[in-house]
């Protein structure tokens, strides 16, 4: 048995031991990590609704206010693969609890921030905690559900986009009835409860400490991601694509990326194996996850703005449009998870991507004899049905090839999706900033995103098919 195989075997608990665990205890573990994931997901979008309020109170400009959202996404993209690797090496429980403590402490400090610069800096640290929760939590779910880990992981990871939809609504409630500070302070009691429950009910996991952490690989990959995302974020601020603020970070990303690949090929124990980036199934799924993040997740942040700019729908009503998408996801996600063993991965992804694409096209088209709000709600619900169908399959498609590295694979998946989302929003924002009709330009961008989803359908046939449990 090779060193890698021994490491994976030691990292993955035996299915029999996991299946012997009492169902109520497994249900409690699932609930604890799900609340953690939901909390982090909500925090990614809740600030958008409170942006004008916090800018007014902290006397901040629009660009500084926008960075409270951008820096959170950047931090998560940066830390997800690192947190996944560390939790596989040193144990999921330790990483999960440490991440929740960091997230909770910085949430408290965010709620007490006295100026916008302090808030942006704290949001960056908060993102490191939040981005570390999902990979560690995915590993915990996998450890506890044995032969049913595929279904449990499908249900668990479907929570993330739902939390993102709920965020703007909760933000509106807090701003209306309390203060923008409440969107951060509410995390404190939830985080404390999660730490206490996790410490009490999660069994200790040892991980597989197969050598030291690859610091060179970690730093070069972090520099690659950070440089690329900074360039894209600057582009989203309305800066021309050929300006130094965009080109210099992107050039640095290319250099650091080359250094990362060169080091990874030579390192005996690399931070991230090239197999997880370009190996069987992994390479195509990384591309699919990136484009899915751009088309399906990224557009969600643009729907309220589109409703306001093109159809004149109020800010409050436009925020509730995403509720229809959440309802669509909830209605079908559970069914899709339990049908995976019969359908395999390819069919639900293909049908789901096409449904999301159809919903995006409907959003561009003029309302067919209905009010604009009803038409957009129906369109959003269709995209939600497609996401609920495709996400569980996309989440599980390669995990059977890396059972001992569930957290690491989950971290990479989250990184690619978040990166795609950031790039889509930044590019579209840069385009509409120069447009004479922002509403129509947003509508055209939805058509482009719809075409992107259709274009990746052939790539789904390259995803290794699997039916049954693993």
């Amino acid at each position: 048995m090779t060193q890698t195989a021994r490491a994976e075997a030691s990292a993955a608990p035996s299915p029999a031991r996991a299946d012997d665990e009492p169902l109520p205890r497994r249900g409690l573990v699932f609930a604890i990590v799900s609340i953690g994931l939901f909390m982090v997901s909500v925090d990614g979008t809740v600030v958008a609704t409170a942006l004008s309020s916090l800018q007014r109170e902290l006397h901040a400009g629009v660009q500084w206010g926008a960075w409270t959202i951008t820096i959170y996404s950047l931090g998560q993209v940066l830390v997800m693969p690192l947190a996944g690797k560390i939790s596989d090496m040193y144990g999921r429980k330790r990483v999960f609890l440490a991440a929740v403590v960091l997230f909770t402490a910085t949430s408290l400090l965010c709620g007490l921030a006295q100026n916008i610069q302090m808030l942006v800096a704290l949001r960056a640290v908060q993102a490191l905690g939040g981005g570390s929760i999902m990979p560690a939590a995915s590993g915990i779910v996998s450890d506890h559900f044995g032969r049913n880990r595929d279904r449990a992981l499908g249900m668990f990871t479907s929570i993330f986009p739902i939390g993102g939809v709920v965020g703007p609504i909760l933000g509106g409630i807090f701003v209306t009835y309390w203060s923008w500070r409440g969107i951060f302070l509410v995390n404190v009691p939830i985080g404390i409860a999660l730490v206490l429950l996790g410490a009490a009910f999660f069994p200790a996991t040892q991980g597989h400490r197969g050598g030291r952490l690859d610091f060179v690989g970690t730093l070069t990959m972090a520099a690659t991601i950070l440089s690329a995302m900074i360039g894209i974020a600057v582009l989203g601020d309305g800066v021309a694509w050929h300006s130094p603020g965009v080109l210099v970070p992107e050039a640095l990303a290319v250099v650091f990326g080359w250094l990362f690949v060169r080091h990874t090929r030579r390192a005996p124990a690399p931070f991230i194996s090239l197999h997880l980036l370009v190996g069987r199934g992994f390479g195509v799924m990384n591309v699919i996850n990136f484009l899915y993040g751009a088309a399906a997740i990224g557009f969600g942040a643009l729907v309220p703005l589109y409703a306001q700019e093109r159809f004149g729908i109020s800010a409050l009503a436009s925020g509730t449009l995403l509720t229809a998408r959440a309802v669509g996801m909830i209605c079908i996600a559970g069914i899709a998870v339990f049908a995976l063993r019969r359908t395999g991965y390819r069919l639900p992804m293909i049908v789901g991507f096409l449904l999301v694409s159809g919903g995006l096209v409907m959003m561009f088209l003029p309302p067919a004899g209905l009010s604009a709000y009803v038409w957009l709600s129906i369109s959003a619900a269709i995209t939600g049905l497609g996401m609920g169908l495709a996400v569980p399959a996309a989440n599980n498609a390669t995990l059977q090839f890396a059972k001992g590295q569930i957290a690491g694979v989950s971290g990479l998946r989250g990184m690619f999706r978040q990166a795609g989302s950031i790039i889509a929003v930044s590019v579209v924002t840069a385009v509409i900033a120069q447009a004479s009709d922002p509403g129509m330009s947003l509508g055209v961008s939805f058509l482009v995103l719809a075409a992107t989803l259709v274009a990746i359908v052939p790539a789904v046939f390259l995803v290794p098919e699997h039916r049954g449990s693993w």
Side-chain angles (χ1 to χ4, degrees):
M1 183 181 289
T2 66
Q3 181 178 356
T4 302
R6 285 195 298 270
E8 293 187 9
S10 63
S14 68
R17 186 174 63 190
D19 289 328
D20 288 341
E21 191 173 23
L23 185 59
R25 185 181 180 90
R26 279 186 280 166
L28 181 59
V29 168
F30 187 88
I32 294 169
V33 295
S34 296
I35 292 171
L37 182 62
F38 186 79
M39 178 176 67
V40 171
S41 174
V42 165
D43 235 63
T45 56
V46 71
V47 177
T49 313
L51 207 53
S52 60
S53 177
L54 72 85
Q55 286 176 189
R56 187 167 53 250
E57 184 172 329
L58 298 179
H59 308 290
V62 175
Q63 286 190 334
W64 271 107
W67 269 100
T68 62
I69 300 174
T70 303
I71 201 68
Y72 188 81
S73 298
L74 288 178
Q76 286 194 315
V77 170
L78 192 64
V79 80
M80 278 182 178
L82 178 61
K85 179 70 172 182
I86 292 176
S87 63
D88 279 336
M89 290 178 63
Y90 297 102
R92 292 81 148 88
K93 178 178 180 178
R94 293 172 180 169
V95 174
F96 180 86
L97 294 180
V100 173
V101 168
L102 180 61
F103 183 85
T104 304
T106 48
S107 293
L108 174 62
L109 295 175
C110 283
L112 301 176
Q114 297 302 305
N115 58 68
I116 192 66
Q117 291 81 9
M118 180 184 297
L119 181 59
V120 170
L122 289 170
R123 283 282 282 174
V125 181
Q126 185 191 36
L128 299 181
S132 300
I133 288 176
M134 186 181 76
S138 297
I140 291 171
V141 171
S142 174
D143 291 348
H144 279 78
F145 282 84
R147 289 185 296 271
N148 288 313
R149 62 164 63 94
D150 55 338
R151 291 174 172 173
L153 284 169
M155 289 296 295
F156 172 68
T157 48
S158 298
I159 293 169
F160 197 85
I162 296 174
V165 171
V166 173
I169 300 172
L170 291 181
I173 293 173
F174 279 116
V175 170
T176 302
Y177 296 104
W178 186 11
S179 162
W180 66 266
R181 298 182 185 277
I183 64 179
F184 298 114
L185 297 178
V186 72
N187 293 329
V188 177
I190 299 174
I192 292 173
L194 285 174
V195 171
L196 295 176
L197 290 171
F201 293 101
F202 293 169
T205 51
Q206 298 302 316
H208 55 88
R209 304 193 189 189
R212 296 176 297 176
L213 187 64
D214 175 17
F215 287 104
V216 174
T218 302
L219 291 175
T220 52
M221 183 171 190
T224 303
I225 297 170
L226 189 59
S227 300
M229 293 297 100
I230 286 177
I232 293 298
V234 170
L235 178 66
D237 286 338
V239 176
W241 68 267
H242 51 77
S243 68
V246 175
L247 294 182
V248 171
E250 296 307 320
L252 289 174
V254 172
V255 173
F256 285 124
W258 176 79
L259 290 174
F260 169 75
V261 172
R262 182 172 179 269
H263 168 79
T264 299
R265 285 176 172 171
R266 299 180 177 184
F271 165 58
I272 294 177
S273 170
L274 285 180
H275 171 66
L276 297 182
L277 293 174
V278 297
R280 180 193 175 194
F282 291 104
V284 67
M285 276 309 305
N286 289 336
V287 173
I288 289 173
N289 281 322
F290 176 82
L291 295 175
Y292 171 80
I297 299 176
F299 99 92
L302 304 169
V303 169
L305 178 63
Y306 175 66
Q308 295 172 50
E309 291 288 344
R310 186 176 180 189
F311 297 103
I313 297 174
S314 70
L316 181 60
S318 63
T320 62
L321 287 171
L322 295 180
T323 305
R325 187 176 72 163
V327 171
M329 290 185 65
I330 294 170
C331 287
I332 201 168
I335 298 173
V337 166
F338 284 92
L340 274 180
R341 294 182 182 178
R342 291 180 177 272
T343 63
Y345 300 136
R346 294 174 182 170
L347 181 62
M349 279 196 284
I350 292 171
V351 176
F353 291 159
L354 293 178
L355 276 175
V356 176
S357 179
L360 288 171
V361 172
M362 284 181 61
M363 283 193 170
F364 170 77
L365 298 174
L370 302 171
S371 71
Y373 180 83
V374 172
W375 179 256
L376 291 178
S377 295
I378 294 173
S379 303
I382 291 174
T383 65
L385 290 173
M387 292 172 71
L389 190 62
V391 167
N395 288 342
N396 283 356
T398 54
L399 293 182
Q400 76 270 19
F401 298 119
K403 298 179 185 178
Q405 303 176 65
I406 298 294
V409 174
S410 298
L412 283 173
R413 181 182 65 226
M415 180 195 75
F416 280 108
R417 288 183 183 175
Q418 282 286 92
S421 174
I422 293 172
I423 290 175
V425 172
S426 297
V427 171
V428 171
T429 303
V431 170
I432 65 174
Q434 308 297 324
S436 58
D437 186 347
M440 183 55 69
S441 296
L442 275 168
V444 173
S445 73
F446 288 168
L447 290 181
V448 174
L449 295 176
T452 300
L453 283 172
V454 173
I456 64 175
V457 166
V460 175
F461 291 97
L462 300 177
V463 177
E465 186 60 283
H466 181 83
R467 291 181 174 85
S469 64
W470 47 268

